Amino acid sequence: MNCIRVTVPATTANMGPGFDCLGLALGLHNVFEVRERKEGEPLVEVVGETKGLPLDETNLVIQVMTHYFQEVGQEPAPYRLLIRPGVPVSSGLGSSSTAVVGGLLAADAWVSGGKSREEIAAMAVGIEGHPDNVVPALYGGLVVAAQTCQGLVMKRLEVAALQAVVVLPDFALSTEAARAALPVMVPLADAVFNLGHLGVLLTALATGDYDLLGVAMGDRLHQPYRTPLIPGWEAAAEAARLAGAKAVALSGAGPSLIAWGVEGHEAIGRAAEAAFTAAGVASQQWILAVDQRGSWVEMID
């Protein structure tokens, strides 16, 4: 084979009340190509934006591929990795999960490992540590997951054809900082609040009920602690609502804002961007549909 191409979608996790158990694939993608080379250690190349993407063995995709080869006990033929990034790093859109899923699928194809999607999912969760991004990145659509006494349980659920606006402020918020902001314990009333809203959220996503989605996005477990860390976030969220957004949430651990609306997506995005600008923060935006396909692998001559 001359080239393997793996395409992996972005994801938005939590979706308001679904903290660490809910994830949705979005129509923004990272593309990873593995190509033959005559000899030497893996070589990394990036086409486009290189911000946050190491070009040596510390690259996460290379690390994941190396992990796979060690797990299956196979020595790979020399290769170079070409990355075509579409999902910004440290954005709350699952960039690291695309690297994990992409690396596993690419490595499996490179040595003809023949792993099933279920096996790849288990490996991905083992590497990432939690399923809310890697599983929807692999399968597409909406995925709910939970750790049980019998191990990880995950289920892909049908979701309506929804569109969202994602606005990413130019502000560095590490996953570590976002985690550190969370309390060790929460009041029982807050836990009950999220449980009730999660059930409503699943119904809203399945039926495409935007009004119900607006009610369902309430959260007391992570957003109240994280959004104050992001300059202009609350003003941007309010501006998005005033411009027509039915529901607004923090995407993953942030700093991206995700807003759902029936129409007027451009106006919603412009309003949120203007609010971030007023707070002294530049931003960029996308209008994205739900990605129902998930990751796919192509063999290219």
Side-chain angles (χ1 to χ4, degrees), residues 2-276:
N2 293 323
C3 177
I4 291 168
R5 178 181 296 153
V6 182
T7 303
V8 187
T11 51
T12 181
N14 301 326
M15 302 284 292
F19 181 59
D20 271 7
C21 67
L22 198 64
L24 182 71
L26 298 172
L28 191 67
H29 301 84
N30 276 344
V31 178
F32 309 98
E33 295 180 0
V34 180
R35 301 172 181 262
E36 291 179 325
R37 63 183 308 217
K38 291 183 178 180
E39 59 184 4
E41 295 299 314
L43 178 69
V44 183
E45 301 174 40
V46 177
V47 177
E49 177 60 60
T50 61
K51 181 181 178 181
L53 296 175
L55 302 180
D56 55 19
E57 70 279 356
T58 64
N59 186 281
L60 182 55
V61 183
I62 295 293
Q63 292 181 332
V64 169
M65 293 182 70
T66 300
H67 172 80
Y68 178 94
F69 297 140
Q70 292 172 345
E71 284 291 305
V72 301
Q74 293 202 47
E75 187 70 27
Y79 68 91
R80 63 187 178 98
L81 172 68
L82 180 68
I83 302 175
R84 302 182 187 275
V87 183
V89 299
S90 302
S91 60
L93 295 172
S95 175
S96 65
S97 293
T98 71
V100 171
V101 172
L104 289 173
L105 289 174
D108 182 68
W110 191 245
V111 296
S112 301
K115 294 285 187 184
S116 68
R117 284 277 162 140
E118 290 76 14
E119 290 172 315
I120 294 293
M123 294 180 73
V125 173
I127 295 170
E128 184 80 346
H130 46 86
D132 52 344
N133 281 307
V134 291
V135 180
L138 181 62
Y139 289 101
L142 177 69
V143 174
V144 61
Q147 289 285 357
T148 72
C149 295
Q150 289 75 39
L152 179 68
V153 175
M154 48 193 170
K155 180 69 175 179
R156 186 183 190 276
L157 305 177
E158 292 301 318
V159 61
L162 302 170
Q163 272 201 320
V165 180
V166 174
V167 182
L168 170 61
D170 186 12
F171 176 77
L173 177 63
S174 69
T175 302
E176 292 76 14
R179 282 280 173 183
L182 302 180
V184 177
M185 300 183 68
V186 298
L188 177 63
D190 289 351
V192 172
F193 177 93
N194 270 53
L195 286 172
H197 281 68
L198 179 58
V200 177
L201 176 61
L202 294 176
T203 301
L205 292 170
T207 60
D209 188 329
Y210 282 95
D211 290 326
L212 190 62
L213 192 63
V215 175
M217 281 293 182
D219 164 71
R220 293 182 181 176
L221 296 186
H222 75 107
Q223 292 185 137
Y225 306 100
R226 287 171 165 171
T227 56
L229 302 177
I230 307 167
W233 200 95
E234 293 296 346
E238 181 61 21
R241 294 187 187 97
L242 291 173
K246 296 292 187 178
V248 180
L250 188 66
S251 183
S256 285
L257 175 153
I258 185 165
W260 303 87
V262 180
E263 57 188 5
H265 298 92
E266 294 86 356
I268 292 169
R270 287 195 300 269
E273 281 194 308
F276 277 123

Side-chain angles (χ1 to χ4, degrees), residues 141 189 194 269 285 297:
N194 270 53
Q285 65 161 297
V297 181

